[in-house]
Each structure stands twice: as C-alpha cells, then as structure tokens.
Amino acid sequence: MSTERRVAIVTGASRGIGRAIAKRLARDGRLVVGMARSLDTLTSLRDEIVSAGGQADIIACDVGDTAALAAAIEGVAEKHGRLDILVNNAGITRDGLILRMSDEDFDAVLNVNLRSVFVACRSASRPMMRQKFGRIVNIGSVSGITGNAGQANYAAAKAGVIGLTKTIAKELGPKGVTANVIAPGFIETDMTANLAQMIKDQVVPQIPARRVGQGEDIAEAVSYVSSDGAGYLTGQVIAVDGGLSM
Ligand code: NAI
C-alpha cells in the first residue's frame, strides 16, 4: 500500500447506498469525496465522517450535466494530487411499461445511469493510468442482468454499464486499474421506498437470504473491490442480492 491516503469519489453520496459506501470507505481510511446534486444534503455526511475520525470533502454536481461532472472529477485529482477510487453510484428510475414509456424517460435514465458513468470513467482514467493504480466500481443492478418488467430504460442503462465496465477493464488492466460492477438486488432505500408493501412481501420469500438488503451490504462489497488487495479482480459483475438472481 502506498503511504499516501487513497482518494475516493462516490457519486450520489447524499443518501441510500451511496451514503453507506462513502461512510464505509472513510472507515477504510480513504479520503472520501462525496458528490450529489446539492451541498445541503452532503454536509451532514461530511460531518458524520469527520466526527468519526475520517477525512471527507463534498462537491455539488449533477452527474446528468456531464461537462460539469468531468470538470468535478478532474478537479478532485488536481486538488488532492491523486484519484484512486471512483464509485459511480448515482442513479434514478423512471419506471413504466414499454408501451407507455416516453422518449424523455428513456433518455433521462440513460443520461444519468449510463452516460455519466462513461464520462466519469473517462475523466478518472488519466490520473489512474498515470499513477498505475485505480479502482473503478460501477453500481449496476440485477435488473441489468435479468431484465425487469417496467424498467426498459433502467435495465438497458444498467446492462450498458456492464459492457462499459468490461471494456474499461480490458483497456486499463495493463495500467494497474481494475473496473468491476457491483449489482445490488433489492435494497431498502428511498428508491425502493415507494414500492407497494405487497411487492416487497412477494419478493422476500424469493430471496434465499430471506431479507431485503441494506446499503451496508453493498458497501461491504465495494470496500473489498476497491481495496489494494483486489488487484486481480477485474471485469466482473458481482451480484449482491441475497441470492435473488441465481
Ligand atoms: P437513492 O434514490 O436512495 O439515492 C440515489 C442517489 O443518487 C442520491 O444520493 C441522489 O441524490 C443521487 N443522484 C440521483 N440523480 C443524480 C444526479 N443527476 N446527479 C447527482 N446525484 C444524483 O437510490 P439508491 O437505492 O441508494 O441507489 C443507488 C444506486 O444503486 C443507483 O445507481 C441504483 O440504480 C442502484 N441500485 C439500487 C437498488 C435498490 O434496490 N435500491 C437495486 C439495484 C441498484
């Protein structure tokens, strides 16, 4: 391990899975840069990390504005002198059956869930290649592996993230940069909060672990995949879903 503190960016860090990941990486000793659309939602994250003895920085950035995202990522590498870990977690849903899905809903989801991941990876690849070290962790979804009725846009974007990540793994592997997808199953966050209780009741019996997941379950996997010791793990899609997608 280098003697310098590893610098990690987590997008969509204000709540849910991203917040759990940011807190976990800070506990792992990383300097965590949390990104979300507004600073209001990030200050409490920074305070929590700092009061637990960690190091954190926060940046307001809408990942759907890809020019701003590229500038933000390049700015982090410049400010901190390095960029070791990139976790592309920010994501949205605009669910609906394909018959009724508008072009706007398709484009919005592709823009936030796939295009932003491409742009962030491209911006991070230069400092990571220069350092001959990098860990790219893209948050996919089981929907991107199996498909999911009502999520044509979301499943297409998350499947795209898999192809993108495998390509990055091949291109950057020789430079010491790994790229993997963590594909969550059913995780209890704001994103799933408005699903009917009936659906949740139907899903849980199908999960071998017999429970919905928590952000911490995903953070645990991200912690390992982004560690120095995980240098031989690349181009993989790791479903963290209690066994749901088997
Ligand atoms: P959430 O809705 O609770 O949080 C999403 C985060 O992304 C928030 O911090 C939000 O501010 C941020 N975000 C959304 N759009 C943004 C934008 N344009 N610019 C910057 N930040 C933006 O969602 P959750 O559940 O924590 O999801 C996190 C990731 O995990 C997403 O990529 C999602 O697709 C994925 N996922 C979640 C599952 C679940 O069951 N909750 C299942 C599979 C994947």
Side-chain angles (χ1 to χ4, degrees), residues 12 14-15 17 37 61-63 89 140 154 158 184-185 187 189 192:
S14 61
R15 60 170 197 253
I17 293 171
R37 273 168 295 197
C61 177
D62 180 342
V63 303
N89 162 82
Y154 184 81
K158 294 297 191 180
I187 311 298
T189 67
T192 49

Side-chain angles (χ1 to χ4, degrees), residues 11-19 21 35-38 41-42 61-65 88-93 112-113 139-143 154 158 182-193 195 213 215 218:
T11 68
S14 61
R15 60 170 197 253
I17 293 171
R19 192 177 182 99
I21 293 170
M35 284 191 194
R37 273 168 295 197
S38 92
T41 53
L42 286 168
C61 177
D62 180 342
V63 303
D65 178 348
N88 286 301
N89 162 82
I92 57 167
T93 51
V112 172
N113 294 9
I139 305 302
S141 169
V142 162
S143 295
Y154 184 81
K158 294 297 191 180
I182 299 295
F186 200 119
I187 311 298
E188 208 165 25
T189 67
D190 288 359
M191 189 176 268
T192 49
L195 288 176
I218 306 307

Side-chain angles (χ1 to χ4, degrees), residues 224-241:
Y224 172 62
V225 165
S226 62
S227 67
D228 283 38
Y232 208 54
L233 177 74
T234 195
Q236 301 305 304
V237 181
I238 302 170
V240 182
D241 64 353

Side-chain angles (χ1 to χ4, degrees), residues 53-100:
Q55 266 189 286
D57 202 353
I58 52 176
I59 298 177
C61 177
D62 180 342
V63 303
D65 178 348
T66 47
L69 176 62
I73 289 185
E74 284 153 25
V76 169
E78 245 168 66
K79 178 175 174 187
H80 298 288
R82 55 189 305 121
L83 173 55
D84 302 290
I85 298 166
L86 171 66
V87 184
N88 286 301
N89 162 82
I92 57 167
T93 51
R94 295 273 189 279
D95 295 353
L97 295 173
I98 195 158
L99 260 177
R100 277 184 244 123

Side-chain angles (χ1 to χ4, degrees), residues 17 22 33 67 72 75 81-84 107 115 157 169 174 201 209-210 213 216:
I17 293 171
V33 183
R82 55 189 305 121
L83 173 55
D84 302 290
D107 289 348
R115 191 168 193 267
D201 292 344
R210 290 291 185 277
E216 289 73 21

Side-chain angles (χ1 to χ4, degrees), residues 165-223:
T165 306
K166 289 185 175 182
T167 300
I168 294 166
K170 288 186 175 178
E171 289 188 13
L172 304 190
K175 299 288 183 190
V177 179
T178 66
N180 292 285
V181 174
I182 299 295
F186 200 119
I187 311 298
E188 208 165 25
T189 67
D190 288 359
M191 189 176 268
T192 49
N194 53 7
L195 288 176
Q197 188 59 43
M198 196 187 72
I199 295 180
K200 292 181 194 167
D201 292 344
Q202 282 169 358
V203 170
V204 172
Q206 294 168 36
I207 302 174
R210 290 291 185 277
R211 65 172 178 89
V212 296
Q214 301 298 321
E216 289 73 21
D217 292 311
I218 306 307
E220 187 72 32
V222 173
S223 169

